[in-house]
Amino acid sequence: MLLFTLVVSLGTGLLFGLAPALSGTAGGRLWDVLREGGRAADGSGSGGAGGRRGVRLRSVLVVVEIALSLVLLVAAALFARSFLAIHATSGGFDAAHVLGLRFYLPGPRYNDDGAKLRRLLDVVRRVESLPEVVAAGASYTLPLAYGGD
């Protein structure tokens, strides 16, 4: 995601940064472009930069920026609405009385997978023997938790 964002931001910066530079050097007539956009020696002229071509390019860029902003705004609104709708729904089960336990088995004592499995089964058996426990189980990851692998 970060790589995609970096590529898009660099591409956008290059596109909108190079467009005015390329229009200024179009056809190798840099002097004509500068003279067209600048004030005349006698003080007359509009003083705007870029002349008609520059105004047209700026207008196109403003329209493109507004269109992209509108698309991003609509996408953000749809994303927020979808997120709130998903957050409001249940996952198909009642997790009100469910407890998830996460633990680690460090050290040389648990280097063997068999030792880890024996300890895990022992913990599950002990939890099942507790009063008011209906069921107990073990899983590598909890569904819909920690990335939901």
Side-chain angles (χ1 to χ4, degrees), residues 123-129 133-138:
V123 169
V124 170
R125 185 184 50 77
R126 287 175 160 194
V127 169
E128 282 178 332
S129 68
V133 172
V134 175

Side-chain angles (χ1 to χ4, degrees), residues 3-149:
L3 181 64
F4 174 74
T5 305
L6 179 69
V7 168
V8 168
S9 63
L10 287 175
T12 305
L14 285 174
L15 175 71
F16 287 103
L18 287 177
L22 291 176
S23 72
T25 59
R29 301 182 327 228
L30 181 59
W31 180 253
D32 293 335
V33 172
L34 288 174
R35 192 169 23 149
E36 181 182 327
R39 294 188 183 276
D42 61 358
S44 64
S46 67
R52 273 185 265 163
R53 189 179 332 161
V55 169
R56 193 175 311 128
L57 179 63
R58 278 191 302 275
S59 298
V60 168
L61 288 178
V62 167
V63 168
V64 168
E65 288 176 14
I66 290 173
L68 287 174
S69 298
L70 184 63
V71 168
L72 287 174
L73 184 66
V74 168
L78 289 173
F79 176 76
R81 192 177 88 184
S82 298
F83 177 76
L84 291 175
I86 288 172
H87 188 65
T89 61
S90 70
F93 56 91
D94 182 20
H97 300 286
V98 175
L99 174 67
L101 174 67
R102 188 175 187 183
F103 63 96
Y104 300 95
L105 300 171
R109 182 174 168 186
Y110 297 108
N111 285 343
D112 180 31
D113 286 340
K116 288 180 185 178
L117 181 60
R118 283 189 298 276
R119 181 64 177 158
L120 181 65
L121 292 175
D122 181 48
V123 169
V124 170
R125 185 184 50 77
R126 287 175 160 194
V127 169
E128 282 178 332
S129 68
L130 293 173
E132 298 184 14
V133 172
V134 175
S139 173
Y140 179 70
T141 59
L142 293 175
L144 304 176
Y146 314 115
D149 299 8

